[in-house]
Every structure is written in structure tokens, then in C-alpha cells.
Amino acid sequence: KIIPAENIQVFPNAIDKKLFFPQDKHEVRRVMGVSDNDFIVAYVGHFINRKGSRRLSKALDMIGGVKSIFIGKGAEEPDCEGILFKGHLNHNEINQYLNAADVFALPTLAEGCCNAIIEAMACGLPVISSDLPFNDDILDDSCSIRIDPMNIDEIAKAIETVLNDGELKTRLSNGALEKAKSLDIETRAKNIIRFMESRIN
């Protein structure tokens, strides 16, 4: 049986605003013992080829002088210079580490709707991630730089762009926060119920 297109709608995954929200970056870094002068790239995901931990690690070494936070575990551990933290965290601990960062990068090859990306946006982080269709529902030019996830040069260039363009960084950060407002759990639930009621009626 063919389902009519009007009976199909995509509802991206949602953020728990009690766990992921903006914090004062200066205060978070003070508690963590991190300098305000550091530019920090955050990654959250398994350390595997699909997620791109090694590709990001190589891109960071191409730039030099950039710090990083790698949250996750797996066989393909990043080994770039400047890693401030590498390892597994409980879900309720990730927010603090994201708020210490300047940008979130995930050169992933395949996703459904990536929770790590929307949680980073809820913390106000500009996103650097794949230009593949699975990101189309959550990422656009207002909040992200889309890259070829297999192109290490392109990943490095995107990070350098955010590093060197403070105005762009602020615009993407504000865009991420705005986008995240529509991706909270309550809004998602209301939208699903509204859609179901419209189909029933």
C-alpha cells in the first residue's frame, strides 16, 4: 500500500532542555581550568570511522594551536595535539564540556537525526558537519558550516573559518540557539500530536 505524501512528516529528535542549555563560558572554563584564550573544538560520538574521530583529529593537527574535547569511546581514538579531554562521560556531564567549547565538529558519514548535533546547538555552538541529506532537517546556513565528511582539508578550513571570523561565529551561535528552540521535547510532542489530529480529522 502506498501512503500519501501528505500523511508523512519528519519530526527530528528533540533536546532535553534540563540537560542541555547555554552556560557562562568564562565560568565553565574557570571551573575546568581552561584558558579563556583557547579556541576549543568539541566532538561527541563513538571513536569510529563512520563518526569521523580520526578525520577530525587529522584536521586539527593541520591547523595547529587549537584545543579539543573528544567525548566518546572506541577503537579509532583521536591523537592530535591539544586534546584537553578524551573519553566517556555520563550524559548529564556533557553539557558542561560543550559549554566550554567554541564550535562543535562531527564529520559523520551516516546518521538518522543526530542527538549530539542538536544538543550542541542547544548550548549555542556553531556546528561543522556533513553536507549529506541526513543533516538537512536540522542544519542550514544559519547555524552551521556543511562539509564533505571525507575531506580533511575541508574540515580544517571550516574550523579555521570559525576561528578567524568572530562575527560569523556569533551569527552561527545565535542561529544554533534559535534553531534549538524548535527542537525541544515539548515542542516535538506537540507537533506530533497536532499532525496526528490533523490526519484523523
Side-chain angles (χ1 to χ4, degrees), residues 2-191:
I2 298 176
I3 300 174
E6 62 268 20
N7 288 342
I8 301 172
Q9 188 164 336
V10 175
F11 297 93
N13 288 346
I15 304 150
D16 186 343
K17 293 187 293 185
K18 295 177 182 177
L19 290 179
F20 294 93
F21 53 88
Q23 293 180 261
D24 182 88
K25 193 179 300 296
H26 170 76
E27 180 60 20
V28 169
R29 289 191 174 195
R30 185 190 67 79
V31 171
M32 295 176 66
V34 177
S35 171
D36 283 336
N37 296 322
D38 287 334
F39 184 87
I40 302 175
V41 179
Y43 168 101
V44 180
H46 292 299
F47 300 157
I48 56 176
N49 180 65
R50 178 172 65 84
K51 291 287 188 177
S53 52
R54 287 265 176 85
R55 293 189 295 279
L56 177 57
S57 181
K58 291 177 181 177
L60 291 170
D61 269 341
M62 289 176 62
I63 301 168
V66 173
K67 305 295 185 181
S68 57
I69 293 171
F70 282 88
I71 301 170
K73 58 183 179 180
E76 296 199 2
E77 289 195 7
D79 57 3
C80 54
E81 295 292 325
I83 296 178
L84 299 172
F85 175 85
K86 177 174 65 175
H88 174 73
L89 289 173
N90 291 326
H91 198 223
N92 61 2
E93 297 175 302
I94 294 175
N95 183 67
Q96 181 180 6
Y97 285 76
L98 289 176
N99 272 282
D102 294 285
V103 64
F104 179 82
L106 188 71
T108 176
L109 301 178
E111 300 288 338
C113 174
C114 182
N115 282 332
I117 290 176
I118 63 175
E119 289 166 354
M121 288 196 294
C123 297
L125 290 185
V127 173
I128 296 170
S129 191
S130 310
D131 59 0
L132 297 172
F134 56 77
N135 271 333
D136 289 350
D137 290 324
I138 56 175
L139 295 181
D140 56 37
D141 291 343
S142 73
C143 60
S144 67
I145 298 176
R146 306 280 292 274
I147 47 87
D148 175 353
M150 291 300 294
N151 190 323
I152 294 170
D153 289 338
E154 206 169 306
I155 298 167
K157 182 179 178 181
I159 294 169
E160 285 184 311
T161 298
V162 178
L163 169 64
N164 295 321
D165 190 337
E167 184 176 325
L168 173 67
K169 178 186 170 188
T170 298
R171 180 176 67 79
L172 295 179
S173 175
N174 291 337
L177 289 171
E178 188 63 32
K179 178 77 72 171
K181 289 180 183 178
S182 66
L183 296 171
D184 66 274
I185 291 174
E186 292 82 3
T187 300
R188 184 175 192 261
K190 289 177 182 177
N191 288 340

